[in-house]
Amino acid sequence: MDLEIKEKPWGREIWYAVTDRYAGKILEVKAGQALSLQYHRRKKETLYVQEGKGKLQLGDEILEVGPGQAFTIEPGTIHRIEAITDLRILEVSTPELDDVVRLEDRYGRVDGTAARAPFEPVPEIYRSYDIRGTYGKNLTEEDARRLGWAVADLVREKGEDRVLLCRDARASSPALATALAQGLMEGGVNVLDLGEGISPLLYWAREFYGVDGAVMVTGSHNPKEENGFKVALGPGTLYGEAIRDLYFRSQNEPKGVPRGRHRFLNPIPSYVDMMAGRIQLERELHVVVDAGNGAAGPIAPLVYRRLGARVTELYCRPDPEFPHHHPDPVVPENLRDLQKKVVELGADVGLAFDGDGDRLGVVDDQGNILWGDLLMILFWREILPKYPGATALVEVKCSQALPEEIERLGGKPEFTRTGHSYVKARLRETGAPFAGEMSGHFFFADEYYGFDDAVYAGARLLRILSREGKKLSQLTNDIPRYPVTPETRVYCPEGRKEEVIEGIQAYFQGRYPLLLVDGVRVQFPGGWALVRASNTQEVLVLRAEGKTERDLLEIKAAMEEALRPYYFLGPIPW
């Protein structure tokens, strides 16, 4: 029996092949960790708990699990495993239980005789949240065409025959979108093409047109040479193992299916109408919109003018060269022009967008940058009174001021891991009305659809500002501003990230309370520090916050001491 052991953030995954046609795995989930959502569309899955205790979310049910228990999960059922103690779970590999994936069905054949091993590495462009690479180097039109085959296969598997397609304003996006459409049609599905737009427009178009499958061609906030794809199917965008599965499906050229057709649609006027139907401003506001020459430029000003705001446009003409600054609103340098323009004009607020319009940056009337955790406090102040006692998700990188405010408002803070796909999934699991990330992704299930739409988030902020009758800077005056480091990236070889994370956990275990949702967040008496592994780069991500400057200095020193034994790490540029 061949074995392959894969280290995961939550534990280990042990793959084994029983024959050349069937495969199974053992999941070892560490205490305090959770196994990501899984989506099994073709097969049932039977889980046998061999050791340990934990919880299994099965659809809307929460079940206690322990040794000797077995659970059968029907195709398409969302499930999540949380370990209270170390868990060992067997996915049995017998065809009679329909629990194993036939390798030639899922992964295709290499040469017509030998099946691919389920643990075979996939190209580096297949990431945790999306598919992304450098155009012309490791991302080509052929990759896009083959992705079309894979998405078509998934869509037809669900008994559907349509896929929505949209693209951002990058130079390579038209060519990649054309190739993707070709692959989708070759795979037997019809393409409904929205042309150039933003990711939230595509997500909303799924609701508007009643189409489940959708692909966004976008490099988001990445360098202009990069591009990629976000694939939406089912309750949200695909991530994790579902992204890996797309690669293997893309190796099988479609055969015996009728070619699909290509139609163009323009949902932007209806999208603007929808926004105007949901948001009303109680007084006129002057808004400066900086789109960074990304795809949000032609759309966001339309929405805010329709709401009755006075809009000054800054870099709202799409330009793939991004000549003024990069469309990434979490980098302070990219907000400098917006800060100057807001102060110069005496505007009420400045709103900035990333390249595909799903992340929001905000500048107040004094030119101050308001980061994601502070904005979440403003949003929760509007939302939580409507949902007493609601679960409120807090990304592990956020200031302690956020959970403190949530508790003051009567909510129940729950820390969650970084990554928009993971946050969206947890939002659905918990039924929480709202969530957000430091990076500017905001997810409104309250009055909206639950996906990250920066244009809508901006509109909600405008509504709050119009109702309060105060300056934005005044609305945030009472929020504690604890001394905090920026998000700090430290070089770490890919294969040694987990070694460091586990070492840091062991170093602080028993000395301070630890949060292990995503990496290690150490709760010191005077603040906290976080170490987590980046999903996209060879780096560890560090952040620290203290109640006072002295607390912060001590926390940084403690973290540096804990990291000192790992000689292979780069410098820590707090």
Side-chain angles (χ1 to χ4, degrees):
M1 181 168 64
D2 298 325
L3 292 177
E4 179 76 10
I5 300 175
K6 297 183 68 176
E7 298 295 330
K8 297 285 187 177
W10 42 263
R12 296 199 308 170
E13 188 176 77
I14 305 171
W15 285 88
Y16 55 91
V18 179
T19 73
D20 68 341
R21 296 183 63 190
Y22 296 98
K25 60 186 172 183
I26 294 169
L27 307 173
E28 293 182 347
V29 189
K30 293 182 288 190
Q33 297 292 327
L35 177 60
S36 302
L37 284 166
Q38 305 291 304
Y39 299 88
H40 297 270
R41 294 185 174 87
R42 286 190 178 181
K43 299 282 186 178
K44 283 194 248 182
E45 180 177 72
T46 304
L47 304 178
Y48 283 84
V49 182
Q50 293 183 319
E51 299 174 8
K53 294 182 179 180
K55 293 181 180 180
L56 170 67
Q57 178 176 351
L58 192 56
D60 296 327
E61 249 187 310
I62 305 291
L63 307 171
E64 302 288 334
V65 302
Q69 292 181 297
F71 302 89
T72 299
I73 297 163
E74 296 297 326
T77 304
I78 296 174
H79 59 287
R80 184 174 189 269
I81 300 162
E82 294 184 6
I84 297 172
T85 65
D86 288 351
L87 270 175
R88 183 181 172 90
I89 298 171
L90 171 67
E91 292 185 11
V92 293
S93 54
T94 54
E96 291 78 13
L97 289 174
D98 199 26
D99 174 56
V100 224
V101 181
R102 284 176 44 173
L103 296 183
E104 69 269 29
D105 281 352
R106 184 176 180 189
Y107 300 117
R109 298 228 174 216
V110 179
D111 57 7
T113 58
R116 289 183 182 274
F119 43 80
E120 180 178 337
V122 301
E124 62 180 352
I125 63 173
Y126 287 80
R127 309 291 183 105
S128 294
Y129 314 133
D130 54 23
I131 300 159
R132 179 162 38 85
T134 302
Y135 178 68
K137 182 180 177 184
N138 60 356
L139 179 65
T140 67
E141 283 93 339
E142 182 62 18
D143 293 316
R145 180 186 175 209
R146 286 176 174 270
L147 176 63
W149 297 349
V151 174
D153 186 44
L154 274 176
V155 168
R156 286 189 294 103
E157 204 172 81
K158 295 189 69 175
E160 300 183 8
D161 65 354
R162 297 183 298 168
V163 173
L164 289 162
L165 174 62
C166 191
R167 56 181 167 82
D168 70 12
R170 289 169 185 259
S172 58
S173 290
L176 289 172
T178 298
L180 178 66
Q182 178 78 8
L184 288 166
M185 291 186 290
E186 290 171 347
V189 300
N190 300 314
V191 177
L192 303 180
D193 196 332
L194 310 185
E196 185 174 291
I198 55 177
S199 293
L201 178 71
L202 179 70
Y203 301 154
W204 175 77
R206 296 175 70 201
E207 305 283 343
F208 185 62
Y209 294 115
V211 176
D212 192 31
V215 185
M216 181 73 191
V217 181
T218 179
S220 186
H221 59 283
N222 294 331
K224 63 184 180 181
E225 298 81 12
E226 295 187 15
N227 214 326
F229 310 93
K230 295 177 181 177
V231 181
L233 194 67
T237 48
L238 302 187
Y239 63 95
E241 289 299 317
I243 295 288
R244 173 185 169 86
D245 181 55
L246 283 174
Y247 168 71
F248 290 109
R249 290 176 185 265
S250 75
Q251 303 308 293
N252 300 324
E253 184 172 0
K255 293 177 182 175
V257 294
R259 183 182 177 86
R261 293 174 296 172
H262 195 165
R263 287 180 57 202
F264 288 91
L265 302 172
N266 179 16
I268 293 176
S270 297
Y271 176 77
V272 174
D273 288 344
M274 176 272 296
M275 289 283 187
R278 290 174 180 271
I279 302 289
Q280 289 81 44
L281 304 185
E282 297 186 7
R283 63 186 175 96
E284 185 185 72
L285 298 170
H286 185 184
V287 184
V288 181
V289 173
D290 182 349
N293 298 111
I299 297 174
L302 274 180
V303 170
Y304 301 140
R305 287 192 177 104
R306 180 68 179 277
L307 299 183
R310 181 158 56 100
V311 178
T312 297
E313 296 185 20
L314 192 64
Y315 316 140
C316 284
R317 180 180 61 82
D319 186 331
E321 293 300 315
F322 306 129
H324 302 286
H325 65 75
H326 202 66
D328 184 354
V330 302
V331 178
E333 185 59 36
N334 295 336
L335 298 175
R336 297 294 180 240
D337 290 353
L338 180 62
Q339 291 173 291
K340 291 176 185 175
K341 185 61 68 173
V342 168
V343 173
E344 173 192 325
L345 298 178
D348 295 290
V349 63
L351 302 178
F353 300 89
D354 70 344
D356 68 327
D358 60 4
R359 294 195 305 147
L360 177 69
V362 176
V363 169
D364 72 14
D365 53 286
Q366 299 297 311
N368 302 308
I369 299 171
L370 305 186
W371 297 118
D373 44 10
L374 192 147
L375 292 170
M376 282 182 255
I377 289 175
L378 293 181
F379 290 135
W380 276 121
R381 285 178 174 178
E382 180 191 45
I383 294 168
L384 262 176
K386 296 186 283 183
Y387 302 89
T391 297
L393 303 180
V394 178
E395 186 200 9
V396 291
K397 293 186 292 186
C398 289
S399 169
Q400 193 65 28
L402 177 55
E404 288 172 355
E405 180 69 11
I406 288 168
E407 289 177 342
R408 188 189 72 79
L409 294 168
K412 298 175 182 176
E414 177 190 303
F415 281 93
T416 187
R417 66 184 299 181
T418 294
H420 64 90
S421 293
Y422 295 111
V423 176
K424 277 186 278 194
R426 191 63 182 149
L427 190 78
R428 293 191 299 271
E429 290 175 59
T430 60
F434 169 71
E437 288 190 287
M438 285 292 297
S439 61
H441 288 277
F442 299 105
F443 314 87
F444 289 87
D446 170 65
E447 300 184 32
Y448 207 56
Y449 300 96
F451 55 75
D452 37 345
D453 184 338
V455 177
Y456 178 76
R460 286 287 289 254
L461 182 63
L462 295 184
R463 186 175 74 179
I464 292 170
L465 192 53
S466 74
R467 286 175 174 176
E468 292 293 334
K470 296 180 180 179
K471 298 286 188 181
L472 184 53
S473 57
Q474 295 171 326
L475 291 179
T476 61
N477 273 342
D478 63 335
I479 299 174
R481 306 296 214 282
Y482 297 129
V484 65
T485 69
E487 188 173 308
T488 303
R489 296 179 179 269
V490 177
Y491 170 76
C492 180
E494 189 63 39
R496 308 200 72 168
K497 291 178 183 177
E498 287 306 309
E499 173 189 343
V500 179
I501 298 297
E502 290 172 4
I504 295 299
Q505 179 179 340
Y507 182 89
F508 288 109
Q509 193 83 51
R511 299 170 60 188
Y512 303 106
L514 304 181
L515 181 69
L516 305 176
V517 171
D518 186 2
V520 182
R521 177 163 163 152
V522 186
Q523 195 67 42
F524 295 94
W528 57 271
L530 171 73
V531 181
R532 59 174 292 272
S534 169
N535 291 306
T536 57
Q537 297 175 288
E538 284 194 318
V539 298
L540 296 175
V541 179
L542 277 62
R543 198 167 195 239
E545 180 182 78
K547 293 179 180 177
T548 66
E549 291 288 355
R550 181 173 179 177
D551 287 330
L552 180 58
L553 285 173
E554 291 176 354
I555 290 169
K556 287 161 60 176
M559 189 56 64
E560 288 167 8
E561 183 63 28
L563 291 168
R564 200 179 310 281
Y566 303 99
Y567 65 90
F568 47 82
L569 295 179
I572 304 176
W574 298 110

